[in-house]
Amino acid sequence: MEDLFLQFLSNTGFALVDYRQVIMLCVGTLFIYLGIAKHYEPLLLVPIGFGVLMGNMPVMHGMGLSIYEEGSVLSYLYYGVTKGIYPPLIFMGIGAMTDFSTMLARPSLMLLGAAAQAGIFITFLGALMLGFSPGEAASIGIIGGADGPTAIFLTSKLAPKLIGPIAIAAYSYMALVPVIQPPIMKLFTTKKERLIKMREPRKVSKRERIIFPIIGLILSCLLAPAALPLLGMLFLGNLLKEATVTERLADAARNTVIDTVTILLGVTVGASTQGDIFLTKESIGIFVLGALSFAVATACGLVFAKGMNLFLKEKINPLIGAAGVSAVPDSARVVHTVAQQEDPTNYLLMHAMAPNISGVIGSAIGAGVLWSFLT
Amino acid sequence: MEDLFLQFLSNTGFALVDYRQVIMLCVGTLFIYLGIAKHYEPLLLVPIGFGVLMGNMPVMHGMGLSIYEEGSVLSYLYYGVTKGIYPPLIFMGIGAMTDFSTMLARPSLMLLGAAAQAGIFITFLGALMLGFSPGEAASIGIIGGADGPTAIFLTSKLAPKLIGPIAIAAYSYMALVPVIQPPIMKLFTTKKERLIKMREPRKVSKRERIIFPIIGLILSCLLAPAALPLLGMLFLGNLLKEATVTERLADAARNTVIDTVTILLGVTVGASTQGDIFLTKESIGIFVLGALSFAVATACGLVFAKGMNLFLKEKINPLIGAAGVSAVPDSARVVHTVAQQEDPTNYLLMHAMAPNISGVIGSAIGAGVLWSFLT
Amino acid sequence: MEDLFLQFLSNTGFALVDYRQVIMLCVGTLFIYLGIAKHYEPLLLVPIGFGVLMGNMPVMHGMGLSIYEEGSVLSYLYYGVTKGIYPPLIFMGIGAMTDFSTMLARPSLMLLGAAAQAGIFITFLGALMLGFSPGEAASIGIIGGADGPTAIFLTSKLAPKLIGPIAIAAYSYMALVPVIQPPIMKLFTTKKERLIKMREPRKVSKRERIIFPIIGLILSCLLAPAALPLLGMLFLGNLLKEATVTERLADAARNTVIDTVTILLGVTVGASTQGDIFLTKESIGIFVLGALSFAVATACGLVFAKGMNLFLKEKINPLIGAAGVSAVPDSARVVHTVAQQEDPTNYLLMHAMAPNISGVIGSAIGAGVLWSFLT
Amino acid sequence: MQIATLIEQVSAHNGWNMALAGMTIVFTCLVILALTISRIHKILDLLDNRDQLRLKMREFFVGREKEKQVASLLTPALELEAARYRRLTPFLGETFSLKKLIRFAESRGMTNPPPEKTIRQLMEVGLIKKDMRNRFTWDDSVAK
Amino acid sequence: MQIATLIEQVSAHNGWNMALAGMTIVFTCLVILALTISRIHKILDLLDNRDQLRLKMREFFVGREKEKQVASLLTPALELEAARYRRLTPFLGETFSLKKLIRFAESRGMTNPPPEKTIRQLMEVGLIKKDMRNRFTWDDSVAK
Amino acid sequence: MQIATLIEQVSAHNGWNMALAGMTIVFTCLVILALTISRIHKILDLLDNRDQLRLKMREFFVGREKEKQVASLLTPALELEAARYRRLTPFLGETFSLKKLIRFAESRGMTNPPPEKTIRQLMEVGLIKKDMRNRFTWDDSVAK
Ligand code: NA
Ligand code: NA
Ligand code: NA
């Protein structure tokens, strides 16, 4: 029987534990803490954090427990990530939640959502310089798209081995938007600019809102066909919402589907960060480049907004350029907060939503373009 | 870089577009329009229509975007159609929604649901005459069953290549029930017949409603075992509903499950109608035969009802024979409307539900019989 | 045409029916009856019972209808059972429903949940004696864990052929807890013991409840890594619930996910009990050993509780030891009822919940240990 | 295409037979189903009546005895108490927990005899019954 | 690492071109999308105006006729009845079933002429219209 | 079957050891878990007390200064205004948006000094605090 005990003890975590797993357990706990105590994107950080814990419990390989072993429960749930199925389903839910009205009211603000995607391509160059392969570099660049599902989708196509670190980096920086963006925003704008107030956008009719997802699908997928899986589902969800006669389907998309998929995506992405696979030099590169990507994207949005003001009669508040990075709706909220620090009577939230959601479209197109270049 | 642009441009939809895709884009938009503006079965036509748009965006083959390319997101979601999994799940939801009381109160009306299935077999003969193979002919015939999931299920087993056109035909005609059926109903009935009022059905006890799905499963699957996947799930859903102690499961079946599956089925069936595959001579044949099938089924139901009246002391309104085609609950509503045009005080809706839902059972049995003949 | 009719008739259930299927149809109906009329675990017995009916409809083999034929709808839905995916998802839902407060308030009561697992190992020995292989014996023993998902999970790993009988035995006995446990409880306790009242447990803070699933995961999976799939998901669900900021995810876990999976698990486990496979000598052995397992587990819990009283200043009511078998929350309710038969003013329900849910953890650990021994 | 060819194509695949057989089977199935369904409520009625019949017979043979037995326990004093407790039903609902019943009784000053004792007696007599979910109800069949 | 090497690594994978082309395409896409979106409501307005224009033209040519036709049916007596029925709207909601309307009318003693007849006339005149879902509404365009 | 054979069959598969080891491990796990759990709330209390301790120490060293600083800003006039604004809480809820606060203040004629100015001062003093979600609350710790 001592044999059995010994065998069992040698299978317990205590015998198998690795220092990298201990580090990751701390990381997982930190994620959960930030989600619960600091309210940083709790819907993402809590499942991911717990997934990190689950993925870094020291288990014997060969027992079918690890997410990387065929036949394990986690490996089945992980298929939705590796096959790129979860991100489009999440996009459908987002579509069924999002009101595109402000964007439809002032389509010129969509340019800000385009400008902020420069971060993606600049980081792509940076990653190439550091010696990453083109597929990896593209996946790293997309972190600057500030859109978790898009990043996971592209990475699952171009650099499946990096799903863990890239997803973690993307979601971390998205959660840290309220920390990362304000200093950059203050650096690139003057106090006078931050005080600019904007006019209420016009009312958008129901018909416009119904037509938009159809036009949006056709145009964006004619121009960038590879954006179809993400944008197709985004616009589908939105059409189900705006049609109103399909309310119960929209309801399923924005509750049942997105919530279930969010749990499964979060926990499996978290569990894919096994210490021995995750804690590498590459991951550090990814995190550094990801932060750069975020900063550059924010800056590009701000600078472009200032540029637009040179041509506009009715000036826009350049802060809303920072919302072009996506990270819906957190970066729009941050824009609002920073503006209110200057003038508590300035309400930018609604205005910032336009670049914010066009940033989602922009990064999905960016992902599609990179995918089509590199396949 | 010009190379890249050229390569990209040659990958955009503008370079790849095909006139058949343009036609299909119009069809998709029409479906969405009919669903939203005309309220024709919006829960089906809107997702299908959007799916048609998604499936007919001109994309490069080989990039893993098309529903017919292995590894694409749409292809994964399409498995539920090709493997015949979605239809039984939808049937479970329908079962959990349906109250079989009126049918249980007057089981003789079930014969109308049987008679209307003649359309299936007559169309089957017509399709054989036009040179379709037996499996294809059976799948085309089942369009007359006026039941989308049943049609998709049988086609996935007997003629998987025709899923697109057959599903589209079935759902189109189901949506067009308020347009197709009234003239046939007026042609086959006299004004006097249309004025017949029917007695309130008796109250059906809870115990009867609980026992029915069990008896129904055993009998129908003893007689036509191949109806098991569809009817088994239909009766399961109904038992969960009637048992009341399993209310939360019935709730999941009639909301979560059916809504999610409806979206996925609709969008993938729509996306399977790629212009080059869909716009063929065969599809035209299918649409013509499908319309015939619907018309014949309606006529058979009406004529049989008139025949029943020869033997019944208490006459039935022969209009309810038209509800035997299924298309729950639209054809029952149409019956009601047509009757009210003659006499606004005549309420046939409840009476028409009996042949209506027995038509669902009838076409599932018909599908099972054809499947067992042809396997 | 006579050929076709004959062929069809020879395919109908009447021609194919087997006496064992008739027996199973009665069993299925009995399950449904017990669920609906007697309120014994209706959420499990009704879908399982209906699944038994579906699985025992006499169908031709080779048509792709049976759950054991590749490509049948039921076989696809059954994957979730055979691959062990449904049980962890159900555990996630249970986690999102369960309040661990009473257990956190008096952790000493967790020992009762440990003691009751002795039934698992004693039955394991019994099954070995009867000539079952070690994997089968372990799966049979786990019936005494009184936890359906755990039993199915372990059996799918160690003795996939026995999933049907073991799942049916486990769920039957769980449903019969109000019948099986009371006599044993009265046999092993004195009236004086049954009259013992217990003090209200202390209030447990929100922070404790949030920290518990994290600590619980780390500790239990360090000690018994193979419990990760079940306990990981259990604690994940619980964290989502207690975090409150992830309320919508917890909601999805405890409604959408668990209800849908419960239907699918129930109906497929039921359908896996095909007469010819189910009605064997082995199944009889499994049922006898299962009953033994339940009785022994209950007795162990009771005796251990009496033993604890020898050392405790503040005596516990030994009845709550019987709740250690799991079968949440039925066995806790039975404890409460038996106590109230002696003294209607004695409220043990809350106290019995502590051993009850620690019994869930205990049997998941037990399953993990057996799995790691036998792989 | 000639009609002969069309008919030929159907025959070649055994189409006529399949169509006719198929339609016949669908019809037969639904007829049998309809016939069975039309029997369900009659059979249920029969079962109910059988139960009633049996009940009457049992009452005839056994009933007196049981009544007597109950009567011996159901003293006039207890009957009075029962009526007082019965009046609390509107506040408790048709099914109730004992805890609540006791609290209500105490809050109305019904403390002599103590509620616990009365309730135990009422349960022994069978006036209060427990259901599967550990909730209690009044059993009127005994009350008479 | 030297800067030259860094730049080399980008060029080796055609990085500069991909980045520039990528950014340009993203920008172009969103510009085209923005331009299109900014037209949607103008096109919709145009379509609406076209309908209005057409309506006006039709009114000019056809309208009189139709009005006359309705007028011939819409007798003063019926108009009076219409007003009485109209007053039931607050109890029925904007869309209603005929059954309910009849019941309400009868319960208010409006039985001469019988509600069924009046309602049929109102439907012929077009004052009551039916929608897709077999519910009815008042059509005010005719009322005037 | 003989008992010897039965026992044999268990031994052959190492059954005794597995059963004993298994039970021991389950027990050990739950004991360790129970012990750990029983410590959680004590550790949490300790942490809380440490915070309190630290707080007290900081108050001792730093507090005065801060109070003074606030005091200099928190003029009696502003304190009066604060009290007036504070009375709007029941209408606004515990957390509120500034927009709403301003509207409420204006609708109650509190326009001199203008609400925007007063609110900015209140925020500088720290009486109104902003949370993560850009909603505002009163901070009572400063109020005293
Ligand atoms: Na973006
Ligand atoms: Na039908
Ligand atoms: Na247990």
Side-chain angles (χ1 to χ4, degrees), chain B residues 113 117 120 144-147 324-327 356 358-364:
Chain B
Q117 310 315 317
I120 295 176
D147 197 282
V325 296
S326 320
N356 206 197
S358 65
V360 174
I361 299 175
S363 44

Side-chain angles (χ1 to χ4, degrees), chain D residues 83-124:
Chain D
R84 289 175 66 192
Y85 278 85
R86 200 60 206 270
R87 254 169 268 134
L88 300 174
T89 313
F91 306 99
L92 294 161
E94 276 309 302
T95 66
F96 46 86
S97 73
L98 288 190
K99 204 176 191 173
K100 229 179 172 177
L101 180 57
I102 292 168
R103 222 185 38 241
F104 266 79
E106 287 175 346
S107 72
R108 271 159 191 72
M110 292 145 78
T111 47
N112 183 15
E116 282 88 351
K117 197 188 151 198
T118 313
I119 289 168
R120 201 165 323 136
Q121 287 174 339
L122 290 173
M123 284 171 69
E124 275 163 16

Side-chain angles (χ1 to χ4, degrees), chain E residues 91-126:
Chain E
F91 306 99
L92 294 161
E94 276 310 301
T95 66
F96 46 87
S97 71
L98 288 191
K99 204 176 194 174
K100 230 177 170 180
L101 180 57
I102 291 168
R103 220 181 45 236
F104 264 80
E106 287 176 347
S107 72
R108 270 158 191 72
M110 292 148 74
T111 48
N112 182 18
E116 282 87 351
K117 198 187 150 198
T118 314
I119 289 169
R120 201 165 322 137
Q121 288 175 337
L122 290 173
M123 285 171 70
E124 275 163 16
V125 180

Side-chain angles (χ1 to χ4, degrees), chain A residues 1-2 4-5 8 38-42 178 200 330 333-334 336-338 340-345 347, chain F residues 14 16-22 24-25 97-100 102 116 119-120 123 130 132-134 136:
Chain A
M1 196 166 84
E2 302 86 69
L4 265 179
F5 271 108
F8 184 83
K38 296 287 171 193
H39 290 237
Y40 289 154
E41 296 269 7
E200 286 256 315
D330 285 4
R333 274 209 204 108
V334 167
H336 182 69
T337 312
V338 171
Q340 288 223 320
Q341 282 166 2
E342 303 294 341
D343 175 2
T345 66
Y347 298 96
Chain F
N14 202 15
W16 304 110
N17 289 346
M18 281 199 268
L20 195 55
T24 315
I25 291 162
S97 72
L98 287 190
K99 205 175 192 173
K100 230 179 171 179
I102 291 168
E116 282 87 351
I119 288 169
R120 201 164 322 135
M123 283 170 72
K130 178 157 52 172
M132 293 303 304
R133 312 247 144 239
N134 289 320
F136 294 81

Side-chain angles (χ1 to χ4, degrees), chain B residues 194-260:
Chain B
R194 293 198 292 276
L195 283 170
I196 294 174
K197 288 195 179 181
M198 292 173 71
R199 212 161 35 111
E200 286 255 316
R202 72 172 175 84
K203 283 260 157 66
V204 171
S205 73
K206 193 189 157 189
R207 277 188 307 172
E208 273 182 87
R209 280 181 282 129
I210 290 176
I211 291 171
F212 168 66
I214 299 170
I215 299 272
L217 171 80
I218 293 179
L219 273 186
S220 55
C221 293
L222 271 179
L223 292 159
L228 180 64
L230 291 172
L231 290 187
M233 295 307 258
L234 180 79
F235 290 131
L236 169 62
N238 190 244
L239 180 64
L240 294 178
K241 169 179 178 281
E242 299 298 353
T244 64
V245 282
T246 48
E247 184 54 27
R248 61 178 292 164
L249 301 184
D251 217 60
R254 84 168 78 92
N255 292 307
T256 298
V257 174
I258 201 173
D259 288 343
T260 308

